[in-house]
């Protein structure tokens, strides 16, 4: 997958991009460009220098530009507001979040009957995507479940209509929600155990916080089994994109900052992959004796590097 | 370790106790009797039939009787109140809980300097044991950390004196506590990651709830590493008992209802083990093709069976 015109010592090393020719070659080879957002286009509330120009350049060359994020706390509509506030052109149907993908999975893949409900551990954006997909849910932001009060099974009437537990990042995580979710999976016949994504941490401007995977870890541990995960690196997210957009995997590239989500997602889907170093992954993780076994096809410092094509 | 006078088909099967002679043999062989409590002496708030008489019988025969529980939500003093309320004789120095053992571990094994502090995820009983050992702590039941309000690293001043995070069952678990604990382990040089015990679930009269191991699972997942665990089946609990009581492992028996905590604890410590079927473990887990690899030395239906010795 590495072109002869690019510098690579062996086929198990990423091609390091740096010249105008490298970027021109990339532009030529790929029609569909999938972008992770945080750590690629912006860092928290700060736009990566040159990101807007590069996206404009791709659109100018009639490339399909799609945004693929594991963030499940925001709906696509709300996520678009983030693009707007940073002055980055994006359309709701170009945005794929793990909240949306989870809703699509429940309605189109699981085909959960309409009279069934989802018990949600998650925030308003996740609820919004379920609502838009016509899926009934309980839990989530319901004040009754957002409490540090004690929980007793004796005082609880479980809803027999709950056919799935869906867990995403929830900064109001508490023992009542965990106890209900655990008992629904344990007691309700055939109740599915789904998580929006398995990111262990969540990057903020001041450092890391526990991510969606950490929020669902108590359920995984108490149940002694793994959930069905929807977001990157799982293929469910790509199935969801495929349902809405035509693309040729051979002419599609995934651009991301995380090896274990973005790059693995692209590779598992048969796409080419470009790692940028403006986010989670550090240079030391891709070179030297302790390099990760996950090797992207290409590496460049920043998405802004593609501005070389403008000169 | 299985006496010839007891029925066993092979040495990898537990001896099934049922006759007066079996129990007399047991009484003769063991001087020190360690008891798990919930599921062995009582189920929730209901005493197991005959438990009181059997404990009296053991005391009458000058046996050492000790109580070994992973419950870290109660201090030993508070746990004694449970015995009192059920009319079971017990003395505070006979009770070993994972909260007490954690405090002893921090002061005597880790030898944490007195000017260092523990960040606690846990309840009042855990704090009480730390206080009694003269260990400084923050977090725990502090109202500031018992909130579902949002948490931001930008608004947080971490305490550089935190030298350990200790996590037990905490029914007020929330994102603020998890975020602080995670960042202390990440940022404070040499900060230890301790858990009182790793029980995945917690039995109540109406069914299972997430246990201490599930409450600490987000930290384990976010950090990508395992904690130092104190309670059963880990040897730290036995070290803690050994520091206070003389006993000969060859003449000591651990009585419990859980294979992966009580029985493994006894076996790892070179003690004999007696499984009772009044708690978590079901008959089907110890017989047939799907039997657990953890095999107790003896099995009896209930601790009350030892009343055969009274006739």
């Amino acid at each position: 997958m590495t072109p002869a015109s690019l510098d690579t010592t062996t086929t198990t090393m990423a091609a390091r991009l740096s010249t105008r020719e490298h970027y021109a070659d990339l532009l030529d080879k790929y029609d569909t460009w999938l972008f992770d957002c945080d750590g690629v286009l912006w860092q928290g509330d700060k736009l990566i220098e040159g990101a807007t120009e590069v996206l404009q350049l791709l659109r100018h060359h009639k490339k399909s530009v799609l945004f693929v994020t594991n963030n499940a706390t925001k709906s696509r509509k709300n996520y678009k507001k983030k693009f707007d506030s940073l002055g980055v052109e994006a359309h709701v149907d170009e945005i794929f979040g793990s909240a949306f993908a989870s809703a699509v999975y429940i309605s189109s893949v699981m085909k959960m009957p309409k009279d069934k409900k989802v018990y949600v551990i998650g925030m308003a954006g996740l609820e919004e995507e379920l609502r838009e997909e016509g899926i009934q849910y309980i839990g989530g932001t319901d004040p009754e479940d957002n409490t540090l009060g004690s929980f007793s099974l004796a005082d609880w009437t479980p809803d027999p209509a709950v056919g799935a537990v869906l867990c995403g990042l929830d900064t109001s995580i508490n023992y009542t929600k965990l106890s209900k979710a655990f008992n629904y999976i344990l007691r309700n016949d055939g109740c599915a155990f789904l998580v929006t994504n398995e990111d262990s941490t969540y990057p903020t401007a001041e450092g890391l916080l526990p991510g969606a995977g950490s929020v669902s870890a108590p359920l995984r541990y108490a149940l002694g089994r793994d959930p069905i995960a929807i977001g990157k690196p799982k293929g469910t997210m790509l199935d969801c994109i495929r349902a809405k957009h035509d693309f040729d995997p051979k002419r599609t590239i995934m651009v991301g900052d995380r090896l274990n989500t973005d790059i693995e997602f692209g590779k598992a889907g048969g796409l080419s992959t470009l790692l940028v170093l403006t986010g989670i992954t550090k240079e030391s993780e891709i070179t030297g004796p302790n390099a990760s076994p996950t090797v992207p096809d290409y590496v460049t410092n920043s998405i802004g590097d593609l501005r070389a094509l403008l000169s």
Side-chain angles (χ1 to χ4, degrees), chain A:
Chain A
M1 219 172 278
T2 305
S5 66
L6 293 173
D7 266 18
T8 53
T9 319
T10 75
T11 53
T12 58
M13 268 186 74
R16 196 65 190 234
L17 309 184
S18 60
T19 69
R20 190 180 191 286
E21 288 62 42
H22 292 159
Y23 301 116
D25 203 5
L26 218 61
L27 190 69
D28 191 46
K29 289 170 67 79
Y30 302 108
D31 301 326
T32 302
W33 291 61
L34 308 183
F35 286 94
D36 176 44
C37 302
D38 210 350
V40 176
L41 304 178
W42 56 71
Q43 293 164 323
D45 289 324
K46 193 170 151 279
L47 200 63
I48 298 284
E49 211 187 316
T52 322
E53 295 97 303
V54 170
L55 290 174
Q56 281 167 346
L57 172 88
L58 292 172
R59 290 188 190 278
H60 177 78
H61 282 88
K62 307 287 178 225
K63 305 298 182 183
S64 283
V65 175
L66 301 173
F67 306 99
V68 188
T69 172
N70 270 359
N71 187 324
T73 64
K74 290 193 173 75
S75 65
R76 286 162 303 158
K77 280 181 190 165
N78 253 309
Y79 210 62
K80 182 178 165 3
K81 289 182 191 161
K82 171 96 184 191
F83 285 85
D84 295 346
S85 72
L86 292 169
V88 181
E89 183 185 346
H91 308 276
V92 168
D93 64 2
E94 291 172 341
I95 301 172
F96 290 84
S98 67
F100 172 60
S102 298
V104 170
Y105 179 85
I106 291 167
S107 62
S108 306
V109 182
M110 268 183 63
K111 297 187 197 300
M112 191 176 82
K114 287 291 174 196
D115 59 344
K116 289 280 185 186
K117 295 174 190 168
V118 175
Y119 184 79
V120 173
I121 295 181
M123 302 175 78
L126 187 53
E127 293 178 325
E128 190 180 328
E129 295 291 6
L130 292 172
R131 250 187 339 261
E132 296 236 331
E133 206 61 30
I135 298 165
Q136 293 191 71
Y137 63 85
I138 56 171
T141 59
D142 183 345
E144 196 185 305
D145 286 6
N146 286 274
T147 172
L148 290 180
S150 65
F151 176 79
S152 164
L153 288 169
D155 305 330
W156 181 51
T157 311
D159 186 335
V162 168
V165 163
L166 172 60
C167 181
L169 182 61
D170 186 341
T171 58
S172 293
I173 185 67
N174 61 65
Y175 199 72
T176 292
K177 284 187 182 178
L178 291 171
S179 297
K180 287 188 179 182
F182 170 61
N183 274 280
Y184 275 126
I185 299 169
L186 215 56
R187 294 164 177 230
N188 281 20
D189 228 25
C191 182
F193 176 23
L194 312 173
V195 298
T196 59
N197 62 301
E198 295 186 294
D199 294 37
S200 59
T201 57
Y202 169 77
T204 72
E206 295 82 20
L208 297 175
L209 292 176
S214 298
V215 167
S216 61
L219 297 178
R220 191 189 305 248
Y221 193 88
L223 294 160
R225 69 180 173 97
D226 290 330
I228 295 168
I230 309 293
K232 295 175 287 182
K234 301 295 176 175
T236 309
M237 182 71 111
L238 200 63
D239 295 340
C240 188
I241 300 171
R242 198 177 278 119
K244 308 276 177 178
H245 292 270
D246 265 341
F247 63 88
D248 174 3
K250 289 201 180 58
R251 294 192 56 81
T252 299
I253 188 163
M254 173 73 209
V255 187
D257 71 314
R258 274 181 113 122
L259 293 169
N260 66 351
T261 53
D262 303 319
I263 303 305
E264 283 187 11
F265 169 74
K267 294 180 89 76
L271 318 179
S272 293
T273 52
L274 168 60
L275 177 74
V276 293
L277 299 175
T278 44
I280 292 276
T281 307
K282 304 282 163 264
E283 182 80 42
S284 59
E285 292 168 67
I286 53 164
T287 48
N290 298 319
S292 163
T294 301
V295 182
D297 296 300
Y298 312 102
V299 182
T300 197
N301 288 329
S302 162
I303 191 64
D305 297 346
L306 273 78
R307 282 177 300 174
L309 290 166
L310 294 168
S311 59

